[in-house]
Amino acid sequence: MRKKIALLATAFAMAVTANAQFQQGKGYIGASLTGLDIHYNGAEKFNLGLEAKGGYLFMDNLMALAGVGYEHSGREDVADKFSVSVGARYYIIQNGLYLGINGKWIHANHNYNDVMPGAEVGYAFYINRSVTIEPAVYYDHSFRKHSDYSTVGLKVGIGVYLFDD
């Protein structure tokens, strides 16, 4: 019974802490680690990626994002990739659950370019007033060889919500 009460109190505290965090006018910076064999596509097996993002809440619960990324593949015949992205994130409820959409332009070597629309579902766990840990499940769709380059994966990031006050 005590465990249930403690769990309920923790959940309530998290909900109260996250309340009003996603208001218009706040900035955002974040970084995500992707890969580590927690994604899958037909062309690569091991993959390690790093992504940096910046954003702005232009309406309550709605954020515009821009980012850059780098991915390293463990296979010698698959080149490292650089990406530039734009997207949006909608916070479904004030406790941190969000849906995201994005578009990425991927460049590898001198002969591979791809435009990949994507979607993600994630959660912003607040560890203090402005810093979050953000796990997300994502899907990036390739218009090249769909089965080889479209990717499903998990990423874990850290976000900092910049307050205007």
Side-chain angles (χ1 to χ4, degrees):
M1 182 67 171
R2 289 182 187 192
K3 288 182 182 179
K4 289 181 183 179
I5 292 172
L7 184 60
L8 183 60
T10 302
F12 179 73
M14 286 176 58
V16 169
T17 302
N19 189 27
Q21 296 292 334
F22 310 113
Q23 291 178 334
Q24 179 179 351
K26 292 184 177 20
Y28 169 84
I29 54 173
S32 298
L33 184 63
T34 63
L36 295 174
D37 286 335
I38 50 179
H39 87 280
Y40 177 80
N41 68 32
E44 304 168 9
K45 302 302 178 213
F46 173 77
N47 180 288
L48 177 63
L50 184 61
E51 186 177 45
K53 290 183 180 182
Y56 183 75
L57 282 146
F58 61 94
M59 290 177 54
D60 285 356
N61 301 323
L62 196 55
M63 180 189 300
L65 291 164
V68 295
Y70 170 77
E71 289 184 28
H72 173 72
S73 176
R75 289 181 42 183
E76 291 182 22
D77 60 331
V78 177
D80 291 354
K81 299 178 205 169
F82 297 92
S83 66
V84 177
S85 65
V86 294
R89 188 183 278 183
Y90 176 69
Y91 293 90
I92 299 170
I93 48 179
Q94 283 289 318
N95 68 358
L97 182 64
Y98 65 84
L99 293 175
I101 58 169
N102 62 60
K104 290 182 184 176
W105 177 73
I106 308 273
H107 175 74
N109 266 348
H110 299 288
N111 59 357
Y112 175 81
N113 291 305
D114 199 356
V115 175
M116 299 179 77
E120 69 181 7
V121 176
Y123 193 88
F125 290 101
Y126 277 85
I127 54 178
N128 69 23
R129 183 171 181 243
S130 61
V131 178
T132 59
I133 296 174
E134 301 178 345
V137 175
Y138 67 93
Y139 174 73
D140 290 330
H141 181 78
S142 175
F143 287 109
R144 292 183 65 111
K145 294 181 180 179
H146 301 302
S147 63
D148 286 345
Y149 297 105
S150 293
T151 305
V152 174
L154 174 68
K155 61 183 171 181
V156 178
I158 294 178
V160 178
Y161 290 80
L162 306 170
F163 296 95
D164 55 358
D165 46 290

